[in-house]
Amino acid sequence: MTLPDWLQWMTETNPITHFIILNKGLLLKDLPPALIFRRVWPMALTAMFTLAVGAWMFRRKTGS
């Protein structure tokens, strides 16, 4: 890649990066299962974190 190392690391935290690579790999390249898992787990981790924070904020706001 042409990005600096520190910026490459930052892009790995963006779920859209994983989603685009996963879609291209599945639709165009017949991606192996090991590489699919490598791209799915960061998205699943992000989803669990945002769902937990969203539920916590909802309960705090509604008082239930």
Side-chain angles (χ1 to χ4, degrees):
M1 285 183 112
T2 59
L3 293 173
D5 290 337
W6 65 272
L7 194 54
Q8 287 180 28
W9 181 82
M10 283 184 63
T11 61
E12 288 292 320
T13 61
N14 188 353
I16 299 296
T17 302
H18 299 285
F19 184 74
I20 290 171
I21 292 170
L22 191 60
N23 276 335
K24 283 182 182 179
L26 288 172
L27 296 174
L28 301 175
K29 298 181 187 175
D30 194 26
L31 205 61
L35 293 178
I36 292 172
F37 178 73
R38 183 175 164 209
R39 294 296 175 180
V40 167
W41 79 264
M43 292 190 299
L45 189 65
T46 302
M48 287 189 297
F49 176 74
T50 55
L51 183 61
V53 170
W56 173 74
M57 291 175 68
F58 180 76
R59 275 190 241 116
R60 194 180 79 176
K61 189 168 185 133
T62 61
S64 54

